[in-house]
Amino acid sequence: MQPPLTHRAVEEAERLLNVTLPDSLLDLLRNQNGGQVSDSRNAFPTSQPTSWSTDHVPFDSVMGIGHRDQTLSMLDSPYLVQVGPARGGGAGLG
């Protein structure tokens, strides 16, 4: 888990990833900045069926935003940082 999420950390992440992070993700990260998620928050609703379910994508952990040693962060992912949407890829965060 990363340290508590700050406005400055969000601004840095959005700049590095070249996206506006969705409010629903920021709400989750303000509650718990990375790590295992509780059973009450372990699904992302979808409007179309997925290979997992007819109405959601399950997940059990989420990357936080920060620089804590020995803890993986969104900012540590070369794919997300280097291939963000404005760079021709699709990070899928915005």
Side-chain angles (χ1 to χ4, degrees):
M1 191 178 319
Q2 296 294 330
L5 190 63
T6 65
H7 181 71
R8 183 175 176 170
V10 171
E11 286 179 338
E12 177 186 9
E14 290 181 335
R15 181 182 55 77
L16 286 171
L17 301 172
N18 200 31
V19 298
T20 299
L21 296 169
D23 289 336
S24 57
L25 175 60
L26 294 176
D27 289 345
L28 176 63
L29 295 179
R30 285 183 184 106
N31 184 47
Q32 177 181 317
N33 194 7
Q36 298 292 102
V37 296
S38 70
D39 288 343
S40 65
R41 299 190 84 157
N42 68 354
F44 183 81
T46 63
S47 59
Q48 299 179 357
T50 69
S51 60
W52 294 282
S53 173
T54 59
D55 64 356
H56 71 278
V57 175
F59 63 98
D60 59 8
S61 64
V62 64
M63 286 185 192
I65 296 172
H67 298 288
R68 179 170 280 166
D69 288 341
Q70 300 180 350
T71 303
L72 190 60
S73 163
M74 282 185 229
L75 307 181
D76 297 320
S77 171
Y79 173 76
L80 294 177
V81 172
Q82 295 174 9
V83 187
R87 295 173 198 88
L93 292 173

